[in-house]
Amino acid sequence: MSNIAPMKQRGGDLVTAEQAEAIRTALKTSLYPGATDDSVDMVLAYCRAGGLDPMTKPVHIVPMWVPEKKQGNRVVSPAGMRDVIMPGIELYRTKAHRTGEYAGQDEATFGPTIEDTLNGVRVRYPEWCSVSVYRLVNGTPVRYSAKAYWLESYATAKRDSDAPNAMWKKRPFGQLEKCAEALALRKAFPEAVGAQPTAEEMEGRVIEGEAAQVRQEPPQQQQPRELPPYPADKFKENLPAWGALIAAGKKTASQIINMVKTKGSLTEEQMIAIEDYEQVDDVATDTASTPTSTSDDTGPIDWDVPGEGERA
């Protein structure tokens, strides 16, 4: 039934099966509302392997497109959207602080603001962002700088489009700053934060690795079909409920948009209508926002079963 009995609490004591199930329930209902059992189990496995407390939400569930994996002419794993567990920028910061050698960081600096049209969408974004963090080396603060470029970092709305997704269009400076900070923290504390990119850096991207094989053999019939438009009447009916989730901090606008897109395509006006519920404060991507965050999770909502976020 549950494979999380061997979990440990902060003190190092093993939790009971009942405590483990209670943690699992809390994650599904509070920290990752709408997430599937498999995705929550992945969060628990990740936290267990890294000695992390899952109740502090150190990681995010990020829906990502995984290319087809082939061995010769045999398809081992079909292409499709899958939930992937990613650390958040907050976990990077926490690990850096725990070394006892984190000595602060400079205010982010941005390059010139660019005005451009990407796939018919008018956008304004900083050309680059630079962040410097300091680490004590033999008692002396040493500066580690990193620069992230918007065009190399932003997440697209669709795999076959150059237009940015809702969060990167709305918060081009904030999202890029998180990416630059993550790069700087990896430089300064490689043994603490590791090499895995953050959820803020990876939301909306394609997992690479088998992509070359996919490009070598792109059977037309295996390409994912474009979903029909999301019904306008259903969108109007569900919008207030989605807005309530965003206002309550349970979901971000980016997460809602990504989840709705699994049922049908959205117009630019519909995405803006969802984004209007987003608070102007710093949002996690949470989420994925990032999933838009960054306190948002990126767990998918089960749109086939009426529940929180959708009426029957």
Side-chain angles (χ1 to χ4, degrees):
M1 174 181 171
S2 174
N3 59 352
I4 60 175
M7 287 176 55
K8 291 185 177 181
Q9 294 176 312
R10 289 179 180 173
D13 298 328
L14 288 172
V15 303
T16 65
E18 291 183 355
Q19 290 173 325
E21 192 60 33
I23 292 174
R24 190 172 187 274
T25 300
L27 293 180
K28 286 192 62 178
T29 58
S30 299
L31 299 183
Y32 303 97
T36 64
D37 289 346
D38 288 343
S39 295
V40 171
D41 285 343
M42 285 194 296
V43 169
L44 291 168
Y46 188 107
C47 293
R48 185 164 58 246
L52 305 172
D53 182 357
M55 296 304 294
T56 63
K57 197 180 180 182
V59 296
H60 302 288
I61 303 174
V62 184
M64 298 185 66
W65 178 264
V66 180
E68 179 183 78
K69 182 178 180 181
K70 300 178 70 174
Q71 289 183 352
N73 293 325
R74 184 170 64 92
V75 177
V76 177
S77 177
M81 293 296 294
R82 301 176 197 169
D83 284 348
V84 179
I85 306 304
M86 294 278 179
I89 187 65
E90 297 294 345
L91 180 57
Y92 268 26
R93 294 165 180 164
T94 297
K95 287 185 173 182
H97 276 281
R98 287 177 178 174
T99 65
E101 298 174 354
Y102 178 75
Q105 68 181 60
D106 291 334
E107 183 177 357
T109 57
F110 296 91
T113 299
I114 307 296
E115 294 190 11
D116 198 0
T117 300
L118 300 174
N119 238 96
V121 178
R122 191 70 179 171
V123 293
R124 295 179 72 256
Y125 58 86
E127 182 181 7
W128 51 263
C129 175
S130 179
V131 172
S132 296
V133 301
Y134 293 85
R135 179 172 184 171
L136 295 177
V137 179
N138 296 324
T140 301
V142 177
R143 184 169 176 260
Y144 295 83
S145 298
K147 179 181 287 187
Y149 290 86
W150 196 88
L151 286 177
E152 296 178 353
S153 305
Y154 83 100
T156 59
K158 298 180 181 180
R159 292 186 301 111
D160 57 353
S161 171
D162 291 331
N165 69 10
M167 183 58 73
W168 276 88
K169 181 183 177 184
K170 182 177 182 179
R171 303 186 69 255
F173 288 82
Q175 291 299 100
L176 189 61
E177 181 179 349
K178 294 170 190 173
C179 293
E181 182 183 358
L183 288 172
L185 288 171
R186 277 199 294 272
K187 283 185 176 182
F189 302 92
E191 81 288 1
V193 303
Q196 186 180 15
T198 63
E200 290 78 11
E201 296 172 280
M202 294 302 293
E203 183 180 8
R205 294 187 173 273
V206 174
I207 293 182
E208 300 178 358
E210 300 298 330
Q213 289 185 325
V214 176
R215 286 193 290 268
Q216 291 173 1
E217 299 182 51
Q220 188 65 31
Q221 66 273 17
Q222 292 187 7
Q223 297 300 316
R225 294 178 301 173
E226 184 75 17
L227 292 174
Y230 192 84
D233 56 343
K234 191 174 182 181
F235 180 89
K236 183 178 181 180
E237 179 184 0
N238 290 325
L239 182 59
W242 297 334
L245 288 177
I246 295 171
K250 296 181 178 180
K251 286 289 176 182
T252 65
S254 179
Q255 290 176 317
I256 294 293
I257 290 171
N258 288 336
M259 294 308 105
V260 177
K261 284 182 177 179
T262 64
K263 291 300 179 182
S265 60
L266 292 174
T267 65
E268 184 71 17
E269 292 73 16
Q270 288 174 326
M271 289 189 287
I272 291 175
I274 296 175
E275 291 172 5
D276 286 341
Y277 286 96
E278 192 83 71
Q279 296 181 357
V280 296
D281 297 333
D282 195 29
V283 183
T285 71
D286 310 217
T287 193
S289 180
T290 352
T292 300
S293 129
T294 55
S295 63
D296 47 274
D297 64 83
T298 46
I301 300 174
D302 186 357
W303 299 101
D304 293 323
V305 180
E308 187 174 42
E310 183 174 12
R311 300 184 178 86

